[in-house]
Amino acid sequence: MSADILYIVVPCYNEQEVLPQTARRLQQKLEALFGEGRISEKSRVLFVDDGSRDRTWELIEGLHGENPLFCGLKLSRNKGHQNALLAGLMQAKKHADAAISMDADLQDDIGVIDNFLTEYENGCEIVYGVRSSREKDSFFKRTTALGFYRFMSLMGADIIENHADCRLMSRRALEGLEEFSEINLFLRGIVPLIGYKSAVVSYERGERLAGESKYPLKKMLAFAFDGITSFSVKPIRLITITGFLVFAVSVGMLLYTIIRKWMGATVAGWAFLSCSIWMIGGVQLLSLGIIGEYVGKTYAESKRRPRYFIEKWLGEQETRGREKTGE
């Protein structure tokens, strides 16, 4: 039985500083796996340019011209990390038996690829890469990240704690992923919904090789909020509960005021009244904002717009045959 074809999908956005080192290290890893006979020599590294504004695509073209081991996919414009990753995975599905997704900065240890393949060879369709620790993160990032995963679980989302987008997926799992048609992508929540046999592999996340992080605090918070509102309606239910609580408090305050008036006491407390008005107004605005987020997502989903457009493809032209499955 011949070895399976593996594609390593690497989304890139303004990664000209780190790309040469990333390509060199991934080439060494694949060549080592070729030598061990664990994967087919038709395996490739697929870089996905997410509308970069620097020389990223130029470097990808150069790598492909020098070595067919490297493939390139260029999106027509910047569509975000999740869409770029999905585009790469769907392209890999046409040629490979399995695909591994990794970030361009290679903070995800490439040594985990060996463990991914071991679990894949044992019959797993999906293998999740999970960080073994967050000691290298700042206190703020570590606290907020752990809080995000705990909050997502509390909201009812099926999510793997400390797992980003470093994972292996078989072609069968990729075909399952293709069935999901969400415009608002949150792959960390979607992939576990596919099911199939899965495994978890831990690894130590390293420092970024070069360049700057493409996920500043603002983007991280937006990504977290997208994940919560894409996979849970509990925030809306919390609004309903809050509404009942505020209503109960207001009834209590009304009874208190009537009793005080009946007893002849002066109704005092302008400060309390002012704070109450501000508090209720704030709760109302927050509630409207959360409901508006859900309405906005529903609006975007209803239009069914394409998630991305491919401008250029550098790689194998033929579609992967199905001789192994007899299809």
Side-chain angles (χ1 to χ4, degrees):
M1 181 177 177
S2 60
D4 285 346
I5 298 175
L6 173 71
Y7 268 50
I8 299 179
V9 179
V10 185
C12 304
Y13 178 67
N14 295 341
E15 299 288 3
Q16 65 177 17
E17 296 180 9
V18 73
L19 200 59
Q21 298 181 59
T22 300
R24 177 179 53 80
R25 293 180 61 184
L26 289 176
Q27 179 180 349
Q28 292 174 348
K29 169 53 67 175
L30 285 189
E31 289 176 347
L33 293 171
F34 293 159
E36 297 171 7
R38 299 193 68 182
I39 59 175
S40 167
E41 293 193 3
K42 293 182 179 179
S43 299
R44 298 288 183 266
V45 176
L46 171 54
F47 292 114
V48 183
D49 180 25
D50 184 25
S52 299
R53 290 173 290 184
D54 60 3
R55 296 178 55 249
T56 296
W57 180 248
E58 181 183 336
L59 292 174
I60 294 173
E61 288 182 312
L63 289 168
H64 175 71
E66 295 171 4
N67 191 336
L69 179 68
F70 299 106
C71 297
L73 190 70
K74 180 176 175 61
L75 303 190
S76 61
R77 59 183 293 265
N78 178 251
K79 296 295 291 183
H81 177 272
Q82 296 292 277
N83 281 303
L85 177 55
L86 180 68
L89 291 174
M90 292 301 100
Q91 187 67 29
K93 178 179 66 68
K94 301 175 183 178
H95 308 279
D97 298 297
I100 292 176
S101 54
M102 307 189 81
D103 288 340
D105 56 21
L106 283 195
Q107 285 184 277
D108 303 318
D109 180 16
I110 61 173
V112 78
I113 294 175
D114 298 270
N115 297 329
F116 279 169
L117 290 174
T118 298
E119 296 294 344
Y120 173 69
E121 290 161 358
N122 289 335
C124 290
E125 305 274 1
I126 303 172
V127 187
Y128 301 98
V130 173
R131 297 180 61 168
S132 57
S133 69
R134 287 185 171 271
E135 295 179 357
K136 296 181 181 179
D137 289 347
S138 64
F139 173 79
F140 176 78
K141 186 173 182 180
R142 181 169 59 252
T143 303
T144 53
L146 292 176
F148 165 71
Y149 288 111
R150 302 288 166 78
F151 187 70
M152 285 291 290
S153 297
L154 184 65
M155 290 292 102
D158 185 10
I159 190 169
I160 308 297
E161 188 170 330
N162 284 326
H163 165 67
D165 287 302
C166 178
R167 68 178 74 88
L168 177 146
M169 298 181 70
S170 68
R171 188 173 64 193
R172 183 184 178 204
L174 292 172
E175 288 170 349
L177 177 62
E178 191 176 22
E179 296 297 316
F180 289 84
S181 56
E182 281 98 324
I183 301 299
N184 301 286
L185 280 177
F186 186 67
L187 294 177
R188 301 179 197 184
I190 292 176
V191 173
L193 297 178
I194 298 174
Y196 299 144
K197 184 179 179 180
S198 64
V200 171
V201 171
S202 62
Y203 67 94
E204 185 72 26
R205 189 170 171 87
E207 299 291 338
R208 183 179 175 87
L209 293 178
E212 298 179 353
S213 172
K214 303 305 182 296
Y215 264 91
L217 178 61
K218 182 179 178 180
K219 282 191 175 182
M220 288 177 64
L221 291 175
F223 184 64
F225 193 66
D226 278 343
I228 292 169
T229 53
S230 293
F231 281 86
S232 177
V233 296
K234 284 191 177 181
I236 293 182
R237 292 174 183 169
L238 289 175
I239 289 173
T240 304
I241 294 172
T242 303
F244 277 116
L245 291 176
V246 172
F247 176 73
V249 172
S250 66
V251 171
M253 290 304 301
L254 176 63
L255 294 175
Y256 171 78
T257 302
I258 292 173
I259 293 172
R260 293 282 292 175
K261 183 69 175 178
W262 179 71
M263 294 175 63
T266 303
V267 178
W270 281 105
F272 177 79
L273 180 62
S274 174
C275 290
S276 298
I277 292 172
W278 279 101
M279 182 191 72
I280 294 174
V283 169
Q284 289 176 332
L285 289 175
L286 176 62
S287 301
L288 286 173
I290 293 175
I291 293 172
E293 182 71 19
Y294 280 94
V295 172
K297 286 184 181 295
T298 303
Y299 174 65
E301 294 288 348
S302 67
K303 290 190 288 187
R304 312 302 303 155
R305 289 179 175 173
R307 288 176 289 200
Y308 55 83
F309 288 100
I310 297 175
E311 182 175 331
K312 292 182 181 179
W313 160 242
L314 303 174
E316 303 293 336
Q317 297 303 314
E318 70 277 8
T319 300
R320 168 69 177 158
R322 309 248 173 158
E323 67 280 1
K324 289 194 176 184
T325 59
E327 299 175 1

